[in-house]
Amino acid sequence: MDKLPRWADVALIPVVNLVLALIVSGIVVTLIGENPFDAMMIMVNGAVGSTYGWGYTLFYATNFVFTGLAVAVAFHARLFNIGGEGQAQLGSLGVALVCLYIPWPHWTLALPGAIVGGALFGAAWAAIPAYLQARRGSHIVITTIMFNFIASALLVYLLITSLKAPGMAPETARFPEATYLPTAQDFFAAIGIPFARTPLNVSFIVALIACWLVWLLMWRMRLGYEIRAFGHSEPAAIYAGISPFRITMVAMLISGALAGLMGINAVMGEQQRLLQDNVLGAGFVGIAVALMGRSHPVGVLLAAILFGALYQGGAELEFETSVPREMVVVIQALVILFTGALDGMVRGPLEKAFLRYRKQPKPGVAAE
Amino acid sequence: MADGPAPAIELRGISKAFGAVQANKDISIRVMPGTIHGIIGENGAGKSTLMSILYGFYRADAGEILIAGRKTDIPDSQAAIRAGIGMVFQHFKLVENFTVLENIVLGAEEGVLLNTSLGKARKLLRQLSDEYELHVDPDALIEDLGVGMQQRVEILKALYRQADILILDEPTGVLTPAEADHLFRILRGLKDQGKTVVLITHKLREIMEITDTVSVMRRGQMTATVRTAETSPEKLAELMVGRKVLLQVDKAPPRPGEVVLKVENLRIHDEQGVERLRGVSFDVRAGEVLGIAGVAGNGQSELLEVLGGMRPAQGGTVQLTGEALDLTGSRSDARTRRARGIAHVPEDRQREGLIMDFHAWENVGFGYHDDPAYNRGVLMDNDALRRDAEAKIARFDVRPADCWQKARNFSGGNQQKIVVAREIERDPVLLLVGQPTRGVDIGAIEFIHQQIVALRDAGRAVLLVSVELDEILSLSDRIAVMFDGRIMGERLPDTTDERELGLLMAGITDTDRPVATAEVEANLARSGGKAR
Amino acid sequence: MDFLTVVQILDSTVRLATPLLLACLAGLFSERAGVVDIGLEGKMLIAAFFSAAVAYSTGSVWLGLLAGVAASMVFGVIHGLASITFRGDQLISGVALNFLASGMTVLIAQDWFAQGGRTPALDGAARFSSIDLPGAGALRDVPFIGPIYDDLISGHTILVYVAVLMVPLSWYVLFRTRFGLRLRAVGENPGAVDTAGISVVRLRYSAVLICGFLCGLAGAYLATGLAAGFVKDMTAGRGYIALAALIFAKWRPWYALGACLLFGLLESIGNRYQSLDLLGLQIPSQFMQALPYILTVVILAGFVGKATPPRAGGTPYVKEK
């Protein structure tokens, strides 16, 4: 019998972890002289109290769905991809190149093109760490961290040399108008509902489809079965004829591609040009999102929306109080800490509590 | 025993539960000083838990411990060491890239600086080695020593800490019979010096051979404590299992047919370039069981892995029903082997044979998940998998009969039944079986043995690898003995015995002449056979 | 490139290598004990902030140092709680602490000083001043030796010399003392340590605390020695470069010195030249900045000697028989 019922494992523990993170955050807010409940209200209102709030919340959530799924898929293969940041940077580059150098007639054609570009570049940036892990045993955590730094150096270099648009700022030229993605405002206006002007765009739908595809992949397809089997036990995978090299490569390529897709939302959907840093830490938020979402697409989606709300609420908080938006980084850190690293702190006592509810110890089935 | 000396160890009413599992229940024993006391029981009977409590690894939920008549609290290993208890664990607790000397002083250093304590330890070590015939090179790295030597380091560690009580947990699992003999000589020597020895084992033979008294454990309880001289293996087996046990497998004489598997001059290097198979040749016919005997680490595992498609070979050929198998290229993987009709019950079911966090139904398709019966287009047909799992669980009497349980929630025997059901029900041309009954309760052992014999009677070829000589002797139609990556010889089970096989296992082919244990040891040290 | 330029580059190499070296040795103690720490960055950052903040408020760099070290050690304890006591994932804990430091420093800096996440500039006794070694002035005009002694060896702050002394000290502690033997053992096989009657938990906590202490020195040096105050995210990936240096050094103190000097040199050259002309090839400064990371990847790939980490690294210890 499992130590915990399933609902406790997938729902109760993440919620308790989240509450703990929020309590500690509240203490931090109190210490810097603000009322944590007021702060909370401002954040909630700012995030979901208006179509403007919702628009930004879901816009951020779209980024986090992509990076969260990226981390989650790698987690299933027991690979910790910290390189989402760099892969998203490169994905953004791919999206930008597709938008800048191919004369698209309409966004419906540009979007699939950008999806391919972003995914390819993101996957390519994950390919080298994946190969080194699979063939040379180089620890993927360290190599992906290194690749984040290399990616940002590369992007800076490109943006001050070959891709630089005329002017002072290190950025590309604006994309042609035909590549602009329809926003939620456009969409709701078409059916006669007023919606505030926000960067929320059709990429959100792409993110939802990505969630469904990842679910299909992981739980309904042989490849997902093999990825999960490999993640649980490499010797078992070899025993079953599953090639560790192939799974490591494929899982990381999918992971990198998902991270790279963030570019369609951030670059194509919002900035419409490539900046020095388009990712703004979303690659790392993906870690928190995947941990909270227990690496399941539904969990990732919910956690991404939560973090989207935190980011949007945090911006409002900075606007209305003296709390800087770094508060969100603190909350994010605490969520990672409590759900990822201090999980045992909650799990241990909970398991004991559930055990007490069950029947008394029985002799027999002894463990040695 | 009324007025003699106080018992070296006395346990009163020890109980310990892990979650819902009661590992030890109200256990009381007395072990007199200067004796060798055996604790026997099946896997999972609670022997190791009990000894871990005595060594301060776990705290008992209830009960008390008396050492030399004095009530002693043992909250941690430090306290156990202070109470004069030394323990040799089944998996050695040595730092591989430290020297023997460093391992021995670790935790018992004198002073803050290393050099002084190493110097002192070196002297004391020399005395101990002479006194107990425990010779090891103090400056050798542990990773360069064979298992027998590593075990000596463990014993020396305990003696260095002036242990009066030495507990050994399944110490012979990795030794040849000759090495085990030598170990027993050392233990008798320790006993003569007045030390108390507790031997935990599941092998009846060892209990009969060396112990003075024996306690039997079953399902967390102590069922009896008797003088060894006043009992018999049959009686002990019955106490262990709770019913009469057949120690022999019933089987009809073999009717060998065509050669199914032909292995010629097979060679394998490991990652460090050390040769693990040095030209192995044999064949297995349809309708027979070929047993491969040998001490763990002499190449048997690698042999199974090559045949099962888990690693490439560096030389030689393998033919299955007359057709060569790819040993190095892209078709040398396990998937291709299965397609050729080779089924494989691996040595380590928890690491290899099952995904412990998968449900039983997901495990039933493991390795065969490409089978069209389990798939519908690009998607897997999970319903078909579950139906098949339920059928197999029913036919093999897996308990609990619930295909939604995770593999880790089944007992060892039931886990193995899932693996065996999956592999045997494919009706393979060749079945590879490694350690089929390791960590399996006796009821399941009988069942699994019957399944293997039935497959052989159906005219299939079976290659069996086991470190349990009893199992090899009772299941095999022919026995090949491996030592240091070579096959030392083939014997028939009816015309050989444990002594002869034991010598072959130590690399001595000239089995008729008298052999000194020193020679056995020298051979084994040379082979560098290591437990994996 | 003339001789004086070389001396200047090397002088800046020493200064830039110092925080790397301290953090690298910090990681060395932690990882040798089996606790992987990718949170070096966060520890340095939190130490940098608290040392600068307290040094500014009290006017004493020593009190600042103390505060920085204390903050870093608190982070060490949190990492210990997660990875030792609650047996959580050490990598994830490190990631979390890096973010925590990144957010907290700005948050508190804004609350205390309201200067956009930085501390006011430090001067006088609130900074570490350089130490002139005896005879530096007198030797200044001696050709060759003079500039080397005066610029390169003399004239650094105390923490630079502390960092260099830490190298032989770490070596001695690890390889010549009882504590070192146990520490290395717990990183290789904690089971051996536990059954020998020594507390795995206590050993690993001491390693984590030493790690916190050394990271504290590194961070304090950044904010009060190398720079004059704290600015947002001022560690700028140095914690990761230290981690890279640790792998480069194969977890050995003397190699760590070499690796950190190399990475310091790369940073120093990158700072000095916008682009470098090497045999007719234009090397952009971004390449120089990325070079430590590229080199580490090459090392990790095993093309230049295999780096084998301590065997029990990254795994929490669970008793088993």
Side-chain angles (χ1 to χ4, degrees):
Chain A
M1 202 179 323
D2 286 331
K3 283 181 178 160
L4 282 179
R6 205 174 135 71
W7 63 268
D9 190 37
V10 300
L12 184 60
I13 288 186
V15 167
V16 173
N17 286 332
L18 180 68
V19 169
L20 283 174
L22 288 180
I23 289 174
V24 176
S25 309
I27 294 171
V28 172
V29 171
T30 312
L31 286 180
I32 58 176
E34 297 282 340
N35 183 328
F37 297 100
D38 293 348
M40 182 88 168
M41 280 319 292
I42 293 171
M43 287 182 78
V44 171
N45 253 324
V48 297
S50 62
T51 59
Y52 176 84
W54 270 109
Y56 268 98
T57 292
L58 293 181
F59 167 73
Y60 291 128
T62 307
N63 287 340
F64 304 154
V65 165
F66 286 125
T67 55
L69 287 176
V71 177
V73 168
F75 267 155
H76 278 295
R78 189 156 298 170
L79 296 164
F80 188 7
N81 178 12
I82 301 196
E85 194 78 7
Q87 290 143 20
Q89 287 268 22
L90 263 284
S92 303
L93 174 65
V95 170
L97 293 178
V98 165
C99 291
L100 283 172
Y101 294 106
I102 301 177
W104 299 102
H106 192 256
W107 71 267
T108 47
L109 296 173
L111 181 60
I115 287 176
V116 170
L120 272 183
F121 272 63
W125 204 244
I128 304 170
Y131 181 84
L132 293 176
Q133 166 84 53
R135 276 284 183 260
R136 320 277 317 181
S138 327
H139 204 305
I140 202 151
V141 170
I142 310 288
T143 46
T144 49
I145 289 175
M146 301 296 139
F147 266 69
N148 285 341
F149 287 103
I150 300 173
S152 71
L154 177 67
L155 234 66
V156 170
Y157 174 70
L158 290 175
L159 285 175
I160 58 173
T161 55
S162 41
L163 291 181
K164 190 174 181 312
M168 286 298 288
E171 57 184 45
T172 64
R174 218 161 235 285
F175 299 161
E177 215 160 306
T179 66
Y180 291 6
L181 296 176
T183 63
Q185 193 186 29
D186 303 336
F187 176 80
F188 281 105
I191 54 173
I193 301 173
F195 196 92
R197 195 179 140 76
T198 64
L200 178 63
N201 61 80
V202 69
S203 305
F204 180 66
I205 310 289
V206 180
L208 292 181
I209 296 172
C211 282
W212 179 69
L213 285 177
V214 167
W215 174 81
L216 209 61
L217 168 76
M218 294 312 303
W219 280 278
R220 283 295 178 272
M221 288 172 72
R222 281 192 299 285
L223 180 60
Y225 178 90
E226 294 185 347
I227 290 176
R228 287 185 295 127
F230 171 78
H232 283 299
S233 167
E234 181 168 347
I238 298 171
Y239 160 79
I242 299 166
S243 152
F245 175 76
R246 182 176 144 259
I247 296 298
T248 304
M249 290 304 293
V250 169
M252 278 303 287
L253 290 177
I254 295 174
S255 176
L258 284 164
L261 284 184
M262 201 199 113
I264 60 167
N265 190 47
V267 178
M268 199 179 179
E270 190 198 16
Q271 295 293 339
Q272 285 138 2
R273 63 192 192 279
L274 188 65
L275 307 175
Q276 254 188 35
D277 186 358
N278 311 278
V279 183
L280 299 169
F284 294 120
V285 181
I287 299 169
V289 166
L291 284 171
M292 257 215 84
R294 287 284 184 271
S295 297
H296 192 286
V298 175
V300 165
L301 179 63
L302 293 176
I305 293 173
L306 178 75
F307 270 92
L310 273 177
Y311 266 68
Q312 169 53 19
E316 292 294 317
L317 195 62
E318 182 174 59
F319 194 67
E320 296 203 12
T321 67
S322 63
V323 183
R325 65 187 310 163
E326 273 75 13
M327 187 64 223
V328 180
V329 179
V330 172
I331 298 178
Q332 173 192 335
L334 291 168
V335 168
I336 297 179
L337 191 66
F338 281 107
T339 55
L342 287 170
D343 187 66
M345 192 171 76
V346 173
R347 191 172 287 270
L350 264 183
E351 282 175 355
K352 280 205 187 106
F354 273 99
L355 206 67
R356 237 171 279 137
Y357 275 103
R358 293 198 172 137
K359 51 187 159 204
Q360 281 301 299
K362 52 183 177 197
V365 279
E368 197 155 327
Chain B
M1 282 204 258
D3 283 312
I9 309 167
E10 182 171 0
L11 302 179
R12 289 182 186 161
I14 298 284
S15 292
K16 172 80 189 169
F18 296 101
V21 177
Q22 187 80 40
N24 286 162
K25 192 175 179 197
D26 192 22
I27 287 178
S28 303
I29 47 170
R30 297 153 65 96
V31 178
M32 300 311 287
T35 63
I36 300 182
H37 183 89
I39 295 186
I40 194 163
E42 284 197 78
N43 285 295
K47 310 180 296 269
S48 293
T49 304
L50 185 63
M51 289 304 119
S52 296
I53 288 170
L54 192 52
Y55 195 64
F57 241 49
Y58 301 132
R59 276 211 104 137
D61 300 334
E64 52 188 35
I65 301 170
L66 285 83
I67 301 297
R70 240 175 309 128
K71 200 168 166 257
T72 310
D73 187 32
I74 305 183
D76 52 32
S77 304
Q78 186 81 59
I81 293 167
R82 248 183 284 123
I85 301 172
M87 180 132 175
V88 177
F89 288 85
Q90 195 175 353
H91 302 288
F92 303 145
K93 305 292 181 185
L94 298 169
V95 182
E96 295 253 306
N97 56 0
F98 278 18
T99 65
V100 169
L101 204 58
E102 284 171 333
N103 268 288
I104 285 174
V105 298
L106 180 66
E109 309 90 341
E110 288 174 38
V112 176
L113 298 185
L114 264 190
N115 276 344
T116 45
S117 31
L118 286 178
K120 275 187 194 163
R122 191 181 293 274
K123 241 184 281 165
L124 197 62
L125 189 61
R126 205 170 302 134
Q127 279 175 21
L128 287 172
S129 309
D130 292 343
E131 205 172 331
Y132 297 103
E133 281 187 74
L134 284 159
H135 298 284
V136 279
D137 172 10
D139 298 311
L141 289 179
I142 296 297
E143 57 197 0
D144 295 334
L145 297 178
V147 258
M149 283 289 180
Q150 294 190 2
Q151 192 172 57
R152 284 186 203 176
V153 178
E154 285 285 18
I155 296 174
L156 280 168
K157 249 166 79 177
L159 295 177
Y160 183 78
R161 288 160 173 73
Q162 297 172 329
D164 289 319
I165 299 166
L166 189 66
I167 306 169
L168 297 104
D169 190 1
E170 301 280 2
T172 60
V174 289
L175 305 180
T176 62
E179 275 184 310
D181 283 347
H182 187 203
L183 172 69
F184 289 166
R185 264 216 324 282
I186 293 169
L187 296 185
R188 283 197 197 95
L190 288 168
K191 172 183 153 181
D192 293 342
Q193 302 272 345
K195 310 263 184 203
T196 309
V197 176
V198 177
L199 179 70
I200 304 169
T201 181
H202 67 282
K203 294 181 183 167
L204 292 165
R205 188 159 33 88
E206 291 173 0
I207 292 288
M208 300 310 295
E209 188 181 333
I210 186 159
T211 62
D212 301 306
T213 47
V214 54
S215 301
V216 184
M217 288 192 73
R218 169 157 46 100
R219 296 186 166 196
Q221 283 173 300
M222 194 65 86
T223 50
T225 297
V226 291
R227 283 179 194 281
T228 312
E230 295 165 3
T231 185
S232 68
E234 288 75 17
K235 226 188 275 171
L236 285 177
E238 197 180 329
L239 284 168
M240 266 165 74
V241 185
R243 61 181 168 82
K244 283 224 183 300
V245 192
L246 291 173
L247 292 174
Q248 276 298 315
V249 184
D250 263 342
K251 57 175 194 186
R255 294 187 309 268
E258 299 280 291
V259 170
V260 168
L261 177 74
K262 188 167 188 62
V263 175
E264 278 181 305
N265 203 22
L266 195 61
R267 290 178 182 277
I268 296 174
H269 306 293
D270 62 15
E271 291 78 9
Q272 285 81 40
V274 179
E275 235 181 347
R276 308 297 301 193
L277 289 186
R278 305 165 188 267
V280 167
S281 306
F282 62 88
D283 46 46
V284 190
R285 291 172 176 277
E288 75 166 349
V289 177
L290 176 69
I292 306 260
V295 179
N298 276 285
Q300 311 95 305
S301 308
E302 288 80 0
L303 177 63
L304 277 185
E305 285 170 7
V306 167
L307 296 176
M310 294 172 69
R311 65 189 297 158
Q314 274 73 38
T317 59
V318 177
Q319 288 184 339
L320 188 73
T321 55
E323 280 176 63
L325 293 181
D326 180 4
L327 296 179
T328 50
S330 60
R331 296 185 61 74
S332 65
D333 65 312
R335 201 179 300 228
T336 318
R337 292 293 149 79
R338 285 192 176 82
R340 293 287 302 270
I342 300 181
H344 184 182
V345 176
E347 290 190 304
D348 188 338
R349 63 178 165 273
Q350 305 202 337
R351 261 172 46 110
E352 298 167 347
L354 295 167
I355 300 291
M356 301 300 274
D357 283 316
F358 273 15
H359 300 118
W361 66 265
E362 286 173 297
N363 273 301
V364 158
F366 191 53
Y368 300 97
H369 49 278
D370 278 339
D371 188 326
Y374 298 145
N375 288 277
R376 235 180 1 211
V378 292
L379 300 185
M380 289 184 85
D381 187 349
N382 290 346
D383 289 332
L385 258 174
R386 281 193 281 269
R387 277 195 304 275
D388 191 30
E390 273 162 13
K392 284 190 164 70
I393 282 173
R395 280 197 294 275
F396 276 70
D397 190 26
V398 176
R399 290 180 208 178
D402 176 3
C403 73
W404 280 100
Q405 285 289 334
K406 284 182 180 159
R408 71 166 67 260
N409 294 331
F410 290 92
S411 72
N414 284 301
Q415 287 172 356
Q416 189 72 332
K417 278 184 180 178
I418 294 176
V419 177
V420 170
R422 180 181 75 209
E423 301 301 322
I424 283 189
E425 294 217 331
R426 288 269 143 188
D427 194 19
V429 179
L430 168 69
L431 178 69
L432 308 171
V433 198
Q435 321 297 349
T437 55
R438 181 185 277 167
V440 169
D441 53 287
I442 287 192
I445 290 179
E446 288 175 319
F447 183 83
I448 288 166
H449 282 177
Q450 282 162 13
Q451 297 299 317
I452 293 172
V453 170
L455 192 74
R456 157 238 198 210
D457 289 343
R460 308 298 174 202
V462 177
L463 181 69
L464 165 74
V465 167
S466 175
V467 292
E468 302 278 349
L469 264 187
D470 295 341
E471 183 166 68
I472 291 280
L473 279 164
S474 65
L475 276 181
S476 313
D477 301 314
R478 274 187 303 136
I479 298 169
V481 183
M482 278 190 78
F483 166 74
D484 197 20
R486 288 193 183 85
I487 289 191
M488 303 313 293
E490 279 189 23
R491 298 287 186 273
L492 295 176
D494 299 338
T495 57
T496 187
D497 55 22
E498 291 200 352
R499 178 187 166 275
E500 188 184 30
L501 292 177
L503 288 175
L504 286 168
M505 282 161 69
I508 294 159
T509 45
D510 178 12
T511 48
D512 289 336
R513 68 184 166 88
V515 177
T517 37
E519 190 182 339
V520 171
E521 276 166 31
N523 266 6
L524 288 167
R526 198 159 43 78
S527 88
K530 282 183 204 165
R532 307 198 327 148
Chain C
M1 215 184 292
D2 61 14
F3 174 65
L4 271 180
T5 318
V6 172
V7 170
Q8 277 169 14
I9 289 179
L10 291 181
D11 176 52
S12 115
T13 298
V14 170
R15 278 185 280 116
L16 292 168
T18 297
L20 296 182
L21 182 58
L22 286 166
C24 185
L25 291 174
L28 182 88
F29 274 97
S30 186
E31 299 210 352
R32 277 284 188 171
V35 181
V36 171
D37 194 354
I38 59 174
L40 299 175
E41 177 89 359
K43 293 203 189 80
M44 281 166 82
L45 192 62
I46 198 89
F49 170 73
F50 275 101
S51 60
V54 171
Y56 175 78
S57 316
T58 62
S60 159
V61 68
W62 291 102
L63 286 177
L65 178 70
L66 211 63
V69 166
S72 171
M73 286 172 81
V74 167
F75 265 45
V77 170
I78 299 176
H79 189 52
L81 269 180
S83 50
I84 306 168
T85 306
F86 293 110
R87 295 173 193 152
D89 189 312
Q90 302 173 5
L91 295 168
I92 290 173
S93 166
V95 170
L97 289 176
N98 287 342
F99 287 127
L100 197 58
S102 165
M104 285 293 252
T105 48
V106 177
L107 213 60
I108 302 174
Q110 183 61 22
D111 187 45
W112 287 1
F113 306 109
Q115 296 192 0
R118 54 165 65 226
T119 62
L122 304 176
D123 53 16
R127 272 194 82 191
F128 278 109
S129 50
S130 52
I131 297 172
D132 283 324
L133 294 183
L139 280 172
R140 183 169 303 154
D141 298 325
V142 182
F144 195 67
I145 301 175
I148 288 185
Y149 186 72
D150 182 44
D151 275 356
L152 191 53
I153 298 176
S154 172
H156 295 290
T157 61
I158 177 104
L159 287 180
V160 174
Y161 300 107
V162 169
V164 174
L165 283 178
M166 275 298 163
V167 176
L169 186 65
S170 303
W171 173 83
Y172 188 81
V173 167
L174 276 172
F175 296 98
R176 286 292 178 270
T177 67
R178 175 175 71 187
F179 175 72
L181 182 78
R182 294 176 174 189
L183 193 85
R184 284 182 292 128
V186 85
E188 291 288 335
N189 183 354
V193 172
D194 193 13
T195 51
I198 316 163
S199 161
V200 171
V201 169
R202 203 180 307 162
L203 264 177
R204 287 196 162 165
Y205 265 106
S206 17
V208 160
L209 285 175
I210 293 174
C211 173
F213 173 79
L214 290 171
C215 276
L217 294 186
Y221 174 76
L222 271 183
T224 61
L226 199 59
F230 175 87
V231 289
K232 182 181 168 181
D233 285 329
M234 75 180 303
T235 41
R238 283 192 175 83
Y240 295 111
I241 296 198
L243 204 62
L246 181 59
I247 297 164
F248 216 82
K250 299 177 178 171
W251 294 268
R252 290 179 199 176
W254 285 106
Y255 288 23
L257 178 63
C260 291
L261 284 174
L262 173 66
F263 289 173
L265 177 68
L266 290 176
E267 193 184 346
S268 157
I269 295 173
N271 285 352
R272 195 178 173 94
Y273 302 101
Q274 258 312 301
S275 74
L276 203 61
D277 187 19
L278 209 69
L279 305 169
L281 205 70
Q282 283 292 323
I283 299 175
S285 66
Q286 286 81 25
F287 182 76
M288 299 300 289
Q289 283 158 12
L291 201 53
Y293 305 110
I294 296 173
L295 278 179
T296 305
V297 172
V298 171
I299 287 291
L300 274 169
F303 294 121
V304 195
K306 193 93 188 130
T308 323
R311 237 164 280 198
T315 39
Y317 176 58
V318 184
K319 276 179 197 244
E320 55 175 356
K321 296 144 279 161

